[in-house]
Amino acid sequence: MPLGSERILETRQIAVLSVLSALCIGVQLTPRPPNVEFTSLFCFLTGFLFGSPFGILLGALTMFINGFLSPWGLAGLNLPFQMAGMAIIGFAGGVYRKTLQSERFSVIHFVELPVMAAFLTLLYNLITNFGFALIAGIDLIFALIMGVWFTVIQVVWNTFLFTAAFIPMVEAIRKVWSGSAKP
Amino acid sequence: MITEKRLTLVFALGLVSTLTLATLVCAYYNIRYEEQRRLSERYINQYKELSEKYLPLLKNYTALVKKYNKLLDNYTQLFNEYQAEKENYTQTLEEYENLTMRVNICIDYGNGTAQWYNDTLIPLGYDLLKATQLVAVVNYTYWETYQACFIDAINGVWNTDTWFWMWLKWNTENREWEYGPVSAGQYILSKGETVMWRYEVPSW
C-alpha cells in the first residue's frame, strides 16, 4: 500500500472516530426518554472498529461529560460507576471483534448481537445500581429491583438498536474506509 | 466446534440476562404485591372499624330522621293551622275594616314636642274623646250643666290657670287648623280626619 493511501486511510479513520465521538456525546446530551440511549451502540461500535482502548476511552469520556451536562442533572458520586459501565461496553466491542473468525457478518451474528447488547446493558445497570446503592446506603438487590423498569427499558432498547443498527453501520463505515463510497 | 462454543456462550449469556431480568421483574412485582397486600389488609381493617362505627351512626341518623319527619309533620300541621287562622283573621279584618275608620291624632304639648298617631284605627261613630283615650291617658270632667266633657289632662300634663288643652281639626279645603266647635265628647270623627290636641294659653 502506498504511503499516501495509508495517510488517507488514517485520516478517514480519524474522521469516522471524530464523527462517532461527536454523535455519541451529542446524542447523549440531547433530552430524551430515560434510558433510551445511543451511547452503548456508539461505544461498542468504536471499540469494534478501533479497538478496545478507543471504546473504553470514548465510553468513559462520554459518561464523564454526561455526568456534568446531562439533561437529567448531575451524576454526582455515581459518575465513576457510569464511566466504568460504559467503558466496559466499549471494551467489549473490541473483544467481540477479536473473537470473530471472519470480517463478513452471518446469521449467527444477528443472534449474538442482541444477546451481547442485553447482557452488556444489564452489566452496565448492575454497575451503576451498585454505585447508587453504595452512595445511598441501601441494599444492592433492593436498588436493582426498584430500578428494574429502567433496566428493562434500556435492555429492550439496546437489544433492538444493536440488532437493527450495528451491522449496517459497520458495513457503511467499511465502505467509507475502503473508498467505495467515493463518487 | 468453535461455533458450537460461541453458540453455547451466547445462549448462556442470553439465559443469564433473561433470568436476571425476569427475577428482578418478579421481585419488583413481589415487593409491590406485598405493599398492596399490606395496604389492602389495612384498608380492610379500617373498613371494618368504620363499618362498626357506621352502624350505630346509621341508627342514630335513622332516629334523627324520624324525629325530624315528626317535627316536620307537626310544623306542617301548625303551618296549615296558621294559614287557616290567617285566612280567618284576614277575613275578619276585612269585615272589621268596614266597621272602622282611620284618623290622624296629634298631641302638641306646647313646648315644641308633638306626637302624631297617624292612621289610628277607631270604630265608626267614635267621638274625639274616645279616640284620644285609645292613644293617650286622658283625665276629664263631665259637666252636667253643659252635658259635655272638659279635658283636665292628657298624658299627665294638667290644665293650669292659664294653660289648657284645646282641640283643633284640620280644614282640608282652607288648609288650616280650626278650633273644635263642640266638646271632644260630642264631636263624632269622620273617616280620614286629622285632629290635634294643643296645650296652650287660650286667646279668650
Side-chain angles (χ1 to χ4, degrees):
Chain A
M1 191 177 284
L3 188 66
S5 64
E6 268 183 10
R7 194 177 60 78
I8 290 166
L9 195 66
E10 280 175 5
T11 308
R12 284 182 184 167
Q13 277 185 330
I14 292 166
V16 169
L17 185 61
S18 304
V19 168
L20 278 175
S21 304
L23 269 174
C24 188
I25 294 167
V27 174
Q28 179 66 24
L29 299 181
T30 306
R32 59 202 151 73
N35 285 25
V36 175
E37 45 92 13
F38 292 83
T39 310
S40 303
L41 175 69
F42 288 131
C43 290
F44 190 83
L45 188 65
T46 305
F48 184 86
L49 294 171
F50 299 96
S52 291
F54 282 97
I56 292 169
L57 196 66
L58 182 63
L61 188 69
T62 306
M63 294 318 287
F64 180 77
I65 295 168
N66 177 70
F68 293 98
L69 301 176
S70 168
W72 294 98
L74 286 171
L77 293 173
N78 206 18
L79 178 63
F81 297 94
Q82 291 179 345
M83 286 169 69
M86 202 51 76
I88 286 171
I89 293 176
F91 172 75
V95 173
Y96 180 64
R97 183 164 188 180
K98 282 185 179 172
T99 63
L100 291 180
Q101 292 162 334
S102 164
E103 288 293 306
R104 311 290 302 173
F105 288 109
S106 61
V107 179
I108 192 170
H109 300 115
F110 279 97
V111 181
E112 284 174 358
L113 279 166
V115 174
M116 287 286 291
F119 179 75
L120 289 171
T121 311
L122 201 60
L123 191 65
Y124 172 82
N125 274 278
L126 189 72
I127 292 166
T128 50
N129 273 302
F130 173 73
F132 176 73
L134 203 67
I135 295 156
I138 58 171
D139 190 44
L140 171 64
I141 303 296
F142 183 73
L144 279 170
I145 291 168
M146 297 318 286
V148 69
W149 285 116
F150 292 107
T151 308
V152 168
I153 289 168
Q154 197 171 3
V155 167
V156 170
W157 169 251
N158 275 345
T159 305
F160 161 75
L161 197 64
F162 273 60
T163 311
F166 182 77
I167 292 174
M169 282 177 83
V170 170
E171 293 294 344
I173 291 168
R174 273 179 183 164
K175 279 182 185 175
V176 173
W177 280 356
S178 64
S180 61
K182 284 171 76 177
Chain B
M1 193 65 184
I2 294 170
T3 310
E4 279 178 9
K5 274 186 181 176
R6 282 182 77 95
L7 278 174
T8 310
L9 187 65
V10 165
F11 178 75
L13 284 178
L15 193 67
V16 166
S17 304
T18 312
L19 283 175
T20 309
L21 268 183
T23 308
L24 289 174
V25 170
C26 287
Y28 178 82
Y29 268 104
N30 188 46
I31 286 174
R32 288 284 177 226
Y33 173 77
E34 283 298 320
E35 275 179 16
Q36 293 302 320
R37 195 178 58 75
R38 275 199 298 275
L39 281 173
S40 293
E41 276 178 13
R42 209 173 91 190
Y43 291 146
I44 287 167
N45 289 336
Q46 280 181 353
Y47 176 75
K48 281 178 184 169
E49 282 175 23
L50 284 171
S51 292
E52 282 169 11
K53 287 176 184 171
Y54 171 75
L55 285 172
L57 278 172
L58 186 68
K59 281 181 186 171
N60 288 345
Y61 172 73
T62 315
L64 273 171
V65 169
K66 279 180 185 171
K67 279 182 187 173
Y68 169 76
N69 283 334
K70 200 173 172 183
L71 281 169
L72 191 68
D73 287 345
N74 289 345
Y75 169 77
T76 312
Q77 198 177 341
L78 275 170
F79 186 73
N80 289 337
E81 284 173 15
Y82 163 77
Q83 287 286 31
E85 285 299 319
K86 191 182 168 188
E87 270 179 33
N88 287 342
Y89 172 76
T90 310
Q91 206 174 344
T92 310
L93 198 67
E94 279 171 6
E95 286 169 9
Y96 186 64
E97 280 282 339
N98 296 330
L99 302 170
T100 56
M101 60 181 176
R102 291 181 187 277
V103 292
N104 305 315
I105 302 170
C106 175
I107 300 173
D108 184 349
Y109 292 90
N111 58 357
T113 306
Q115 288 176 327
W116 279 93
Y117 301 92
N118 293 329
D119 291 330
T120 306
L121 196 66
I122 59 169
L124 286 174
Y126 244 39
D127 56 50
L128 176 59
L129 178 60
K130 285 177 184 170
T132 310
Q133 281 175 318
L134 288 176
V135 296
V137 179
V138 182
N139 299 89
Y140 65 93
T141 309
Y142 180 72
W143 289 78
E144 188 66 41
T145 317
Y146 303 107
Q147 290 189 335
C149 293
F150 184 75
I151 301 301
D152 298 319
I154 294 176
N155 284 339
V157 180
W158 290 83
N159 291 339
T160 62
D161 291 340
T162 50
W163 287 76
F164 295 90
W165 281 105
M166 306 296 288
W167 78 268
L168 302 94
K169 64 173 184 171
W170 179 251
N171 189 321
T172 49
E173 284 177 14
N174 298 336
R175 303 190 63 79
E176 61 181 12
W177 291 103
E178 290 175 351
Y179 282 101
V182 289
S183 75
Q186 289 173 326
Y187 185 75
I188 305 301
L189 290 165
S190 55
K191 205 175 272 187
E193 195 168 359
T194 302
V195 290
M196 178 199 282
W197 283 102
R198 196 158 71 192
Y199 193 59
E200 62 182 20
V201 179
S203 55
W204 68 73

